[in-house]
mmCIF file of all heavy atoms in Angstrom:
data_model
loop_
_atom_site.group_PDB
_atom_site.id
_atom_site.type_symbol
_atom_site.label_atom_id
_atom_site.label_comp_id
_atom_site.label_asym_id
_atom_site.label_seq_id
_atom_site.Cartn_x
_atom_site.Cartn_y
_atom_site.Cartn_z
ATOM 1 N N GLY A 123 96.632 -188.048 90.417
ATOM 2 C CA GLY A 123 95.554 -188.972 90.088
ATOM 3 C C GLY A 123 94.964 -188.672 88.719
ATOM 4 O O GLY A 123 94.694 -189.584 87.935
ATOM 5 N N ASN A 124 94.759 -187.382 88.424
ATOM 6 C CA ASN A 124 94.254 -186.979 87.111
ATOM 7 C C ASN A 124 95.221 -187.382 86.004
ATOM 8 O O ASN A 124 94.822 -187.869 84.949
ATOM 9 C CB ASN A 124 94.046 -185.466 87.050
ATOM 10 C CG ASN A 124 93.089 -184.928 88.075
ATOM 11 O OD1 ASN A 124 93.383 -183.926 88.732
ATOM 12 N ND2 ASN A 124 91.955 -185.559 88.246
ATOM 13 N N TYR A 125 96.502 -187.185 86.282
ATOM 14 C CA TYR A 125 97.521 -187.464 85.269
ATOM 15 C C TYR A 125 97.611 -188.956 84.961
ATOM 16 O O TYR A 125 97.553 -189.370 83.797
ATOM 17 C CB TYR A 125 98.880 -186.947 85.742
ATOM 18 C CG TYR A 125 99.999 -187.243 84.758
ATOM 19 C CD1 TYR A 125 100.065 -186.583 83.544
ATOM 20 C CD2 TYR A 125 100.965 -188.193 85.054
ATOM 21 C CE1 TYR A 125 101.078 -186.860 82.633
ATOM 22 C CE2 TYR A 125 101.979 -188.486 84.155
ATOM 23 C CZ TYR A 125 102.031 -187.813 82.947
ATOM 24 O OH TYR A 125 103.032 -188.110 82.049
ATOM 25 N N LEU A 126 97.730 -189.765 86.002
ATOM 26 C CA LEU A 126 97.894 -191.208 85.804
ATOM 27 C C LEU A 126 96.597 -191.858 85.332
ATOM 28 O O LEU A 126 96.617 -192.849 84.586
ATOM 29 C CB LEU A 126 98.369 -191.865 87.102
ATOM 30 C CG LEU A 126 99.747 -191.420 87.610
ATOM 31 C CD1 LEU A 126 100.031 -192.044 88.968
ATOM 32 C CD2 LEU A 126 100.841 -191.795 86.618
ATOM 33 N N GLY A 127 95.465 -191.296 85.744
ATOM 34 C CA GLY A 127 94.188 -191.904 85.415
ATOM 35 C C GLY A 127 93.600 -191.486 84.084
ATOM 36 O O GLY A 127 92.828 -192.226 83.492
ATOM 37 N N ALA A 128 93.954 -190.280 83.590
ATOM 38 C CA ALA A 128 93.307 -189.796 82.369
ATOM 39 C C ALA A 128 94.263 -189.094 81.405
ATOM 40 O O ALA A 128 94.354 -189.464 80.236
ATOM 41 C CB ALA A 128 92.163 -188.855 82.743
ATOM 42 N N ILE A 129 94.970 -188.072 81.885
ATOM 43 C CA ILE A 129 95.738 -187.215 80.974
ATOM 44 C C ILE A 129 96.786 -188.001 80.200
ATOM 45 O O ILE A 129 96.969 -187.808 78.987
ATOM 46 C CB ILE A 129 96.398 -186.051 81.753
ATOM 47 C CG1 ILE A 129 95.332 -185.206 82.443
ATOM 48 C CG2 ILE A 129 97.228 -185.187 80.817
ATOM 49 C CD1 ILE A 129 95.885 -184.139 83.371
ATOM 50 N N GLN A 130 97.477 -188.896 80.877
ATOM 51 C CA GLN A 130 98.487 -189.720 80.223
ATOM 52 C C GLN A 130 97.873 -190.498 79.048
ATOM 53 O O GLN A 130 98.472 -190.611 77.972
ATOM 54 C CB GLN A 130 99.064 -190.698 81.253
ATOM 55 C CG GLN A 130 100.519 -191.036 81.072
ATOM 56 C CD GLN A 130 101.055 -191.897 82.220
ATOM 57 O OE1 GLN A 130 100.340 -192.692 82.821
ATOM 58 N NE2 GLN A 130 102.323 -191.752 82.522
ATOM 59 N N ASN A 131 96.680 -191.005 79.267
ATOM 60 C CA ASN A 131 95.981 -191.757 78.226
ATOM 61 C C ASN A 131 95.527 -190.847 77.092
ATOM 62 O O ASN A 131 95.601 -191.223 75.912
ATOM 63 C CB ASN A 131 94.781 -192.480 78.831
ATOM 64 C CG ASN A 131 94.157 -193.480 77.890
ATOM 65 O OD1 ASN A 131 94.860 -194.232 77.209
ATOM 66 N ND2 ASN A 131 92.844 -193.492 77.816
ATOM 67 N N TYR A 132 95.056 -189.637 77.439
ATOM 68 C CA TYR A 132 94.665 -188.673 76.413
ATOM 69 C C TYR A 132 95.810 -188.429 75.432
ATOM 70 O O TYR A 132 95.623 -188.399 74.217
ATOM 71 C CB TYR A 132 94.299 -187.331 77.059
ATOM 72 C CG TYR A 132 92.974 -187.275 77.778
ATOM 73 C CD1 TYR A 132 92.574 -186.106 78.430
ATOM 74 C CD2 TYR A 132 92.103 -188.358 77.808
ATOM 75 C CE1 TYR A 132 91.366 -186.023 79.078
ATOM 76 C CE2 TYR A 132 90.884 -188.282 78.477
ATOM 77 C CZ TYR A 132 90.523 -187.105 79.106
ATOM 78 O OH TYR A 132 89.323 -187.019 79.756
ATOM 79 N N VAL A 133 96.986 -188.223 75.988
ATOM 80 C CA VAL A 133 98.161 -187.937 75.163
ATOM 81 C C VAL A 133 98.490 -189.120 74.261
ATOM 82 O O VAL A 133 98.740 -188.959 73.062
ATOM 83 C CB VAL A 133 99.370 -187.575 76.054
ATOM 84 C CG1 VAL A 133 100.631 -187.396 75.207
ATOM 85 C CG2 VAL A 133 99.089 -186.295 76.848
ATOM 86 N N ALA A 134 98.471 -190.318 74.810
ATOM 87 C CA ALA A 134 98.827 -191.515 74.046
ATOM 88 C C ALA A 134 97.847 -191.780 72.909
ATOM 89 O O ALA A 134 98.253 -192.212 71.820
ATOM 90 C CB ALA A 134 98.895 -192.722 74.980
ATOM 91 N N LEU A 135 96.565 -191.513 73.116
ATOM 92 C CA LEU A 135 95.547 -191.797 72.107
ATOM 93 C C LEU A 135 95.714 -190.947 70.852
ATOM 94 O O LEU A 135 95.261 -191.338 69.772
ATOM 95 C CB LEU A 135 94.154 -191.581 72.694
ATOM 96 C CG LEU A 135 93.660 -192.640 73.680
ATOM 97 C CD1 LEU A 135 92.389 -192.171 74.380
ATOM 98 C CD2 LEU A 135 93.408 -193.967 72.970
ATOM 99 N N GLN A 136 96.356 -189.790 70.990
ATOM 100 C CA GLN A 136 96.519 -188.889 69.848
ATOM 101 C C GLN A 136 97.289 -189.520 68.688
ATOM 102 O O GLN A 136 97.126 -189.121 67.541
ATOM 103 C CB GLN A 136 97.257 -187.616 70.285
ATOM 104 C CG GLN A 136 96.506 -186.753 71.253
ATOM 105 C CD GLN A 136 97.312 -185.536 71.673
ATOM 106 O OE1 GLN A 136 96.903 -184.409 71.486
ATOM 107 N NE2 GLN A 136 98.476 -185.766 72.246
ATOM 108 N N LYS A 137 98.109 -190.502 69.009
ATOM 109 C CA LYS A 137 98.957 -191.121 67.994
ATOM 110 C C LYS A 137 98.140 -191.864 66.938
ATOM 111 O O LYS A 137 98.469 -191.829 65.745
ATOM 112 C CB LYS A 137 99.943 -192.084 68.661
ATOM 113 C CG LYS A 137 100.899 -192.761 67.688
ATOM 114 C CD LYS A 137 101.849 -193.706 68.425
ATOM 115 C CE LYS A 137 102.768 -194.426 67.447
ATOM 116 N NZ LYS A 137 103.658 -195.392 68.135
ATOM 117 N N ASP A 138 97.074 -192.519 67.370
ATOM 118 C CA ASP A 138 96.334 -193.401 66.466
ATOM 119 C C ASP A 138 94.889 -192.982 66.201
ATOM 120 O O ASP A 138 94.232 -193.576 65.349
ATOM 121 C CB ASP A 138 96.326 -194.826 67.026
ATOM 122 C CG ASP A 138 97.723 -195.415 67.132
ATOM 123 O OD1 ASP A 138 98.493 -195.285 66.174
ATOM 124 O OD2 ASP A 138 98.051 -195.983 68.193
ATOM 125 N N TYR A 139 94.395 -191.974 66.924
ATOM 126 C CA TYR A 139 92.983 -191.606 66.797
ATOM 127 C C TYR A 139 92.822 -190.106 66.571
ATOM 128 O O TYR A 139 93.688 -189.308 66.932
ATOM 129 C CB TYR A 139 92.208 -191.999 68.056
ATOM 130 C CG TYR A 139 92.197 -193.487 68.328
ATOM 131 C CD1 TYR A 139 93.196 -194.081 69.101
ATOM 132 C CD2 TYR A 139 91.195 -194.298 67.823
ATOM 133 C CE1 TYR A 139 93.199 -195.446 69.354
ATOM 134 C CE2 TYR A 139 91.181 -195.665 68.073
ATOM 135 C CZ TYR A 139 92.187 -196.234 68.834
ATOM 136 O OH TYR A 139 92.187 -197.583 69.080
ATOM 137 N N GLY A 140 91.687 -189.754 65.999
ATOM 138 C CA GLY A 140 91.286 -188.355 65.963
ATOM 139 C C GLY A 140 90.608 -188.050 67.279
ATOM 140 O O GLY A 140 89.545 -188.607 67.574
ATOM 141 N N CYS A 141 91.204 -187.203 68.094
ATOM 142 C CA CYS A 141 90.733 -187.007 69.471
ATOM 143 C C CYS A 141 90.049 -185.663 69.663
ATOM 144 O O CYS A 141 90.504 -184.639 69.145
ATOM 145 C CB CYS A 141 91.905 -187.126 70.444
ATOM 146 S SG CYS A 141 92.688 -188.755 70.439
ATOM 147 N N ILE A 142 88.979 -185.685 70.421
ATOM 148 C CA ILE A 142 88.264 -184.476 70.819
ATOM 149 C C ILE A 142 88.210 -184.466 72.337
ATOM 150 O O ILE A 142 87.611 -185.359 72.952
ATOM 151 C CB ILE A 142 86.845 -184.439 70.228
ATOM 152 C CG1 ILE A 142 86.909 -184.480 68.691
ATOM 153 C CG2 ILE A 142 86.099 -183.202 70.699
ATOM 154 C CD1 ILE A 142 85.548 -184.480 68.016
ATOM 155 N N TYR A 143 88.860 -183.467 72.927
ATOM 156 C CA TYR A 143 88.917 -183.376 74.382
ATOM 157 C C TYR A 143 88.220 -182.089 74.837
ATOM 158 O O TYR A 143 88.545 -180.993 74.366
ATOM 159 C CB TYR A 143 90.364 -183.396 74.864
ATOM 160 C CG TYR A 143 91.063 -184.704 74.540
ATOM 161 C CD1 TYR A 143 92.320 -184.719 73.936
ATOM 162 C CD2 TYR A 143 90.470 -185.926 74.842
ATOM 163 C CE1 TYR A 143 92.963 -185.922 73.645
ATOM 164 C CE2 TYR A 143 91.097 -187.126 74.551
ATOM 165 C CZ TYR A 143 92.343 -187.110 73.952
ATOM 166 O OH TYR A 143 92.965 -188.305 73.659
ATOM 167 N N CYS A 144 87.308 -182.245 75.760
ATOM 168 C CA CYS A 144 86.413 -181.153 76.126
ATOM 169 C C CYS A 144 86.476 -180.846 77.619
ATOM 170 O O CYS A 144 86.437 -181.758 78.452
ATOM 171 C CB CYS A 144 84.991 -181.557 75.727
ATOM 172 S SG CYS A 144 83.730 -180.339 76.074
ATOM 173 N N ILE A 145 86.560 -179.563 77.942
ATOM 174 C CA ILE A 145 86.454 -179.113 79.329
ATOM 175 C C ILE A 145 84.976 -178.849 79.569
ATOM 176 O O ILE A 145 84.403 -177.897 79.036
ATOM 177 C CB ILE A 145 87.303 -177.857 79.579
ATOM 178 C CG1 ILE A 145 88.786 -178.166 79.341
ATOM 179 C CG2 ILE A 145 87.086 -177.329 80.997
ATOM 180 C CD1 ILE A 145 89.705 -176.969 79.467
ATOM 181 N N VAL A 146 84.336 -179.719 80.351
ATOM 182 C CA VAL A 146 82.874 -179.720 80.433
ATOM 183 C C VAL A 146 82.376 -178.783 81.541
ATOM 184 O O VAL A 146 81.984 -179.213 82.627
ATOM 185 C CB VAL A 146 82.336 -181.164 80.602
ATOM 186 C CG1 VAL A 146 82.555 -181.966 79.325
ATOM 187 C CG2 VAL A 146 82.995 -181.899 81.766
ATOM 188 N N ASP A 147 82.329 -177.499 81.210
ATOM 189 C CA ASP A 147 81.922 -176.497 82.195
ATOM 190 C C ASP A 147 80.431 -176.559 82.515
ATOM 191 O O ASP A 147 80.023 -176.262 83.636
ATOM 192 C CB ASP A 147 82.331 -175.093 81.741
ATOM 193 C CG ASP A 147 81.820 -174.733 80.348
ATOM 194 O OD1 ASP A 147 81.448 -175.646 79.580
ATOM 195 O OD2 ASP A 147 81.816 -173.529 80.015
ATOM 196 N N LEU A 148 79.596 -176.967 81.543
ATOM 197 C CA LEU A 148 78.164 -177.082 81.829
ATOM 198 C C LEU A 148 77.903 -178.218 82.819
ATOM 199 O O LEU A 148 77.065 -178.091 83.719
ATOM 200 C CB LEU A 148 77.377 -177.326 80.535
ATOM 201 C CG LEU A 148 77.375 -176.162 79.540
ATOM 202 C CD1 LEU A 148 76.643 -176.565 78.263
ATOM 203 C CD2 LEU A 148 76.728 -174.924 80.151
ATOM 204 N N HIS A 149 78.611 -179.315 82.656
ATOM 205 C CA HIS A 149 78.490 -180.409 83.621
ATOM 206 C C HIS A 149 78.857 -179.932 85.023
ATOM 207 O O HIS A 149 78.242 -180.342 86.014
ATOM 208 C CB HIS A 149 79.422 -181.561 83.237
ATOM 209 C CG HIS A 149 78.874 -182.463 82.181
ATOM 210 N ND1 HIS A 149 77.700 -183.166 82.327
ATOM 211 C CD2 HIS A 149 79.343 -182.798 80.961
ATOM 212 C CE1 HIS A 149 77.469 -183.888 81.246
ATOM 213 N NE2 HIS A 149 78.455 -183.676 80.398
ATOM 214 N N ALA A 150 79.859 -179.081 85.099
ATOM 215 C CA ALA A 150 80.326 -178.604 86.406
ATOM 216 C C ALA A 150 79.239 -177.835 87.147
ATOM 217 O O ALA A 150 79.192 -177.847 88.381
ATOM 218 C CB ALA A 150 81.563 -177.729 86.228
ATOM 219 N N LEU A 151 78.345 -177.181 86.404
ATOM 220 C CA LEU A 151 77.305 -176.372 87.030
ATOM 221 C C LEU A 151 76.336 -177.200 87.861
ATOM 222 O O LEU A 151 75.663 -176.672 88.741
ATOM 223 C CB LEU A 151 76.527 -175.592 85.964
ATOM 224 C CG LEU A 151 77.318 -174.574 85.135
ATOM 225 C CD1 LEU A 151 76.393 -173.884 84.137
ATOM 226 C CD2 LEU A 151 77.994 -173.539 86.022
ATOM 227 N N THR A 152 76.267 -178.501 87.606
ATOM 228 C CA THR A 152 75.315 -179.345 88.343
ATOM 229 C C THR A 152 75.687 -179.488 89.811
ATOM 230 O O THR A 152 74.837 -179.819 90.641
ATOM 231 C CB THR A 152 75.218 -180.753 87.714
ATOM 232 O OG1 THR A 152 76.496 -181.393 87.777
ATOM 233 C CG2 THR A 152 74.764 -180.672 86.270
ATOM 234 N N THR A 153 76.949 -179.243 90.134
ATOM 235 C CA THR A 153 77.375 -179.382 91.532
ATOM 236 C C THR A 153 77.945 -178.086 92.113
ATOM 237 O O THR A 153 78.247 -178.030 93.296
ATOM 238 C CB THR A 153 78.451 -180.486 91.658
ATOM 239 O OG1 THR A 153 79.538 -180.184 90.780
ATOM 240 C CG2 THR A 153 77.878 -181.846 91.285
ATOM 241 N N MET A 154 78.069 -177.058 91.279
ATOM 242 C CA MET A 154 78.657 -175.798 91.755
ATOM 243 C C MET A 154 77.570 -174.814 92.169
ATOM 244 O O MET A 154 76.595 -174.618 91.449
ATOM 245 C CB MET A 154 79.516 -175.149 90.652
ATOM 246 C CG MET A 154 80.748 -175.939 90.259
ATOM 247 S SD MET A 154 81.633 -175.179 88.864
ATOM 248 C CE MET A 154 82.225 -173.670 89.626
ATOM 249 N N GLU A 155 77.742 -174.193 93.320
ATOM 250 C CA GLU A 155 76.807 -173.165 93.763
ATOM 251 C C GLU A 155 77.354 -171.771 93.498
ATOM 252 O O GLU A 155 76.632 -170.790 93.577
ATOM 253 C CB GLU A 155 76.483 -173.359 95.238
ATOM 254 C CG GLU A 155 75.756 -174.676 95.511
ATOM 255 C CD GLU A 155 75.307 -174.825 96.946
ATOM 256 O OE1 GLU A 155 75.456 -173.856 97.713
ATOM 257 O OE2 GLU A 155 74.810 -175.902 97.299
#
């Protein structure tokens, strides 16, 4: 689901755009105990 929904698109966008991809660990803290 991650691959078809997002990662595949991330890879394709690199061809025509300057891309910044972030692993949002601070966001994760909002739901992690």
